[in-house]
């Protein structure tokens, strides 16, 4: 029996954090060269959210420079994450991979009419030198409602996986799943589909330092922001092509070999994006030297843009002031970098009063928050538009545009979409009526307002 090793390297959830990218790129290219020199097979995958529009270069090029960076390393295939999928307009996503030199595999991704775009494959089968056939399937997170508003359609991931596995089971000797679904779905898939050899995970930013084996399936995951690089080694019988051994490790990027000029390259990527964004979008009569004043302007804009009676948001959405009369795209990105969309929810008066009570608590001012699309640090105080709170003998009473809120009445409220996720505001999360506006971010509303100041 002759044994051979297949080396699989994987990254995920870089989110345009290029602090380690030069080091990762050098490491992967060097490893690829060494394996190929030893006549060993090597495959390289990214599991989505490589791009994030908080970074000037990604925002300015709508992710196309991220595609070029993946090309330079020599990736074999990628799948998309929600940052590729729902923070770009239809046209921007449809052209994101025009110049790719790798495969894009996303089995549950379709156009609105149910066909796959020309740049997407449900799976790809790679035939190795020893004739072993490796099938690679991709799946992305099931944010079907959001994709629909942007002109795309998603199928349910596990049902799609069943369909694709049935199609490829006779065509492949090994199966690798690129999963931007999250750790819980990955573990469930491993239990349900033991015919899969490897699941490379993403989305929930988890790390498996030495992999995790479930039901004979090995799971790999490399955290977030390029902090780790994953490496799976499959040892196969070169005659029967059966997998005999599976090993996994996650390399800490801080411990990868230093690359001369890496900090300069990171800065260069930032400055390249900044230069592209130094285009004037508005001229204002007086600078805004207060974050709170800008946050109030954004809240006022949110209410009018969504055409509702009231709105509220957190001051932490605004990261700095506007000190100059000329406003550029870079200013808007620096002020409000979050991929957060305007949203309208419908609440009863009783529910809205509970939301307001909670929003008035002091805890928000210094609450640190990560995720939910938020790219700042502190939530900051809550700012309202159209809402008045009065203190009386019987406690607080609440008014919208001068009229007291009625417990049984219904109210439409404009908010940042992050309030509908997690446990920030339970009444909002439970609301049945939610309308998300795509592809506009909160900074797009701010641009619109600054361009139309009287």
């Amino acid at each position: 029996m002759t044994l051979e090793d297949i080396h699989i390297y994987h990254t995920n959830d870089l989110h345009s954090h290029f602090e380690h990218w030069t080091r990762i790129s050098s490491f992967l290219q060097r490893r690829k060269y060494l394996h190929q020199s030893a006549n060993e097979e090597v495959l390289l995958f990214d599991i989505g959210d490589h791009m994030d529009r908080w970074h000037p270069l990604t925002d300015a090029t709508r992710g196309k420079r991220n595609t070029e960076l993946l090309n330079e390393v020599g990736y074999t295939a990628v799948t998309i994450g929600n940052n590729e999928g729902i923070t770009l307009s239809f046209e921007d996503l449809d052209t994101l991979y025009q110049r790719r030199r790798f495969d894009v595999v996303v089995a549950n991704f379709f156009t609105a009419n149910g066909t796959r775009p020309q740049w997407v494959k449900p799976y790809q089968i790679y035939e190795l030198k020893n004739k072993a056939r490796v099938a690679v399937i991709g799946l992305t997170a099931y944010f079907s409602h959001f994709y629909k508003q942007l002109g795309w359609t998603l199928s349910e991931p596990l049902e799609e996986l069943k369909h694709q596995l049935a199609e490829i089971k006779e065509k492949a000797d090994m199966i690798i799943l690129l999963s931007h679904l999250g750790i819980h779905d990955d573990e469930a898939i491993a239990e349900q589909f033991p015919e899969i050899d490897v699941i490379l995970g993403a989305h929930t930013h988890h790390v498996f330092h030495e992999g995790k084996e479930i039901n004979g399936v090995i799971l790999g995951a490399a955290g977030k922001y390029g902090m780790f690089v994953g490496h799976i080694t499959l040892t196969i019988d070169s005659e029967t092509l059966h997998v005999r051994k599976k090993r996994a490790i996650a390399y800490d990027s801080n411990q990868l070999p230093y690359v001369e000029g890496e900090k300069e390259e990171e800065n260069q990527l930032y400055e390249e994006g900044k230069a592209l964004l130094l285009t004037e979008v508005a001229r204002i009569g007086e600078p805004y030297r207060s974050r709170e004043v800008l946050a109030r302007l954004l809240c006022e804009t949110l209410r009018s843009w969504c055409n509702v009676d009231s709105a509220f948001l957190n001051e932490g959405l605004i990261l700095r002031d506007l000190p100059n009369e000329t406003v550029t795209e870079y200013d808007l990105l620096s002020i409000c970098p979050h991929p957060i969309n305007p949203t309208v929810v419908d609440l009863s008066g009783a529910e809205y009063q509970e939301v307001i009570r909670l929003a008035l608590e002091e805890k928000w001012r210094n609450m640190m928050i990560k995720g939910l699309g938020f790219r700042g640090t502190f939530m900051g105080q809550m700012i309202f538009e159209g809402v008045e709170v009065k203190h009386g003998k019987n406690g607080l009473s609440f008014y919208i545009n001068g009229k007291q809120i009625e417990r049984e009445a219904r109210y439409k409220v404009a908010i940042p979409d992050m309030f509908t996720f997690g446990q920030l505001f339970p009444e909002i999360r439970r609301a049945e009526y939610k309308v998300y506006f795509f592809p506009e971010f909160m900074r797009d509303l701010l641009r619109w307002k600054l361009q139309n100041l009287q």
Side-chain angles (χ1 to χ4, degrees), residues 410-425:
R410 308 298 304 184
Y411 297 90
K412 287 185 170 58
V413 187
I415 57 172
D417 67 13
M418 64 183 287
F419 292 173
T420 69
F421 309 129
Q423 299 299 326
L424 298 175
F425 295 97

Side-chain angles (χ1 to χ4, degrees), residues 5-127:
D5 285 340
I6 300 171
H7 297 277
I8 302 160
Y9 291 87
H10 57 103
T11 54
N12 61 271
D13 294 287
L14 189 81
H15 286 278
S16 293
H17 279 261
F18 298 124
E19 300 94 307
H20 300 104
W21 182 250
T22 301
R23 195 174 291 198
I24 290 170
S25 173
S26 174
F27 171 74
L28 291 174
Q29 291 179 76
R30 186 172 63 255
R31 282 297 184 96
K32 190 174 184 179
Y33 172 78
L34 291 173
H35 290 309
Q36 290 175 339
S37 298
N39 204 33
E40 294 178 332
E41 299 284 359
V42 58
L43 300 167
L44 177 54
F45 303 114
D46 185 81
I47 325 300
D49 278 1
H50 187 276
M51 59 151 279
D52 191 312
R53 287 181 57 190
W54 75 269
H55 193 283
L57 187 57
T58 299
D59 193 54
T61 66
R62 293 301 191 266
K64 291 179 177 62
R65 279 291 276 126
N66 292 72
T67 296
E68 292 176 10
L69 294 174
L70 292 165
N71 280 341
E72 290 167 9
V73 178
Y75 276 75
T76 308
V78 307
T79 196
I80 67 170
N82 42 288
N83 272 269
E84 287 87 6
I86 59 176
T87 71
L88 296 173
S89 68
F90 182 95
E91 181 182 2
D92 287 335
L93 178 53
D94 202 37
T95 57
L96 174 61
Y97 297 112
Q98 272 184 334
R99 298 184 179 181
R100 74 193 185 281
R101 297 199 294 268
F102 47 81
D103 294 312
V104 181
V105 287
V106 203
N108 62 323
F109 181 82
F110 303 86
T111 62
N113 64 11
T115 61
R116 286 194 174 86
Q118 57 84 24
W119 49 271
V120 170
K121 301 175 181 179
Y123 62 85
Q124 179 66 29
I125 296 178
Y126 301 96
E127 186 172 307

Side-chain angles (χ1 to χ4, degrees), residues 302 306 341-345 413-417 420 434-437:
L302 177 64
C306 292
N341 305 90
T343 303
V344 171
V345 295
V413 187
I415 57 172
D417 67 13
T420 69
K434 302 183 184 81
V435 175
Y436 298 89
F437 294 90

Side-chain angles (χ1 to χ4, degrees), residues 207-445:
V207 183
F208 292 134
H209 294 279
E210 295 182 343
K212 181 175 183 178
E213 192 162 330
I214 298 175
N215 202 21
V217 181
I218 193 163
L219 284 70
K224 64 177 181 178
Y225 302 166
M227 293 178 180
F228 296 91
V229 177
H231 180 194
I232 305 282
T233 305
L234 300 181
T235 302
I236 67 168
D237 183 328
S238 58
E239 296 176 5
T240 65
L241 304 181
H242 291 158
V243 178
R244 297 298 181 185
K245 189 175 182 181
K246 303 175 182 180
R247 303 185 299 273
I249 188 170
Y251 302 108
D252 186 333
S253 295
N254 288 311
Q255 297 176 9
L256 296 180
Y258 169 78
V259 177
E260 186 175 353
E262 59 183 35
K263 188 63 179 177
E264 289 77 6
E265 282 200 36
E266 178 196 345
N267 292 336
Q268 183 180 339
L269 293 174
Y270 190 92
E271 292 301 321
E272 180 185 342
K274 180 179 178 180
L276 292 171
L277 293 176
L278 291 177
T279 54
E280 180 181 322
V281 296
R283 282 185 177 269
I284 53 179
E286 292 185 13
Y288 288 87
R289 302 191 184 279
S290 164
R291 289 172 57 238
E292 181 180 347
V293 171
L294 266 176
R296 292 194 180 281
L297 179 68
L298 179 57
C299 193
E300 171 193 324
T301 307
L302 177 64
R303 181 179 75 154
S304 60
W305 193 86
C306 292
N307 194 27
V308 293
D309 289 328
S310 68
F312 80 101
L313 51 76
N314 56 307
E315 184 185 346
L317 286 174
I318 301 297
L319 301 191
R320 67 171 181 83
D321 58 5
L322 263 180
N324 302 312
E325 293 182 4
T326 299
V327 181
T328 66
E329 289 286 2
Y330 178 73
D331 289 323
L332 292 176
L333 179 67
S334 302
I335 289 167
C336 193
H338 329 277
I340 290 176
N341 305 90
T343 303
V344 171
V345 295
D346 183 276
L347 301 171
S348 70
E351 291 169 333
Y352 197 9
Q353 288 181 101
E354 286 305 308
V355 168
I356 296 170
R357 289 180 194 276
L358 181 57
L360 291 173
E361 293 182 4
E362 279 294 313
K363 66 176 184 179
W364 302 107
R365 190 180 298 271
N366 298 311
M367 179 186 288
M368 297 182 69
I369 185 168
K370 294 181 179 180
L372 308 179
F374 188 64
R375 300 297 185 253
T377 303
F378 297 101
M379 283 288 286
Q381 67 174 329
M382 295 297 166
I383 291 175
F384 288 88
E385 180 68 24
V387 173
E388 184 181 4
V389 180
K390 295 183 179 180
H391 297 262
K393 294 181 179 179
N394 298 319
L396 300 179
S397 54
F398 307 97
Y399 296 78
I400 294 180
N401 299 323
K403 295 182 179 180
Q404 189 164 4
I405 293 178
E406 300 176 17
R407 291 183 58 83
E408 302 303 322
R410 308 298 304 184
Y411 297 90
K412 287 185 170 58
V413 187
I415 57 172
D417 67 13
M418 64 183 287
F419 292 173
T420 69
F421 309 129
Q423 299 299 326
L424 298 175
F425 295 97
E427 286 82 6
I428 291 177
R429 185 179 184 183
R430 290 193 295 264
E432 294 184 5
Y433 178 95
K434 302 183 184 81
V435 175
Y436 298 89
F437 294 90
F438 285 88
E440 296 85 1
F441 290 160
M442 300 299 284
R443 65 176 173 269
D444 294 318
L445 272 63

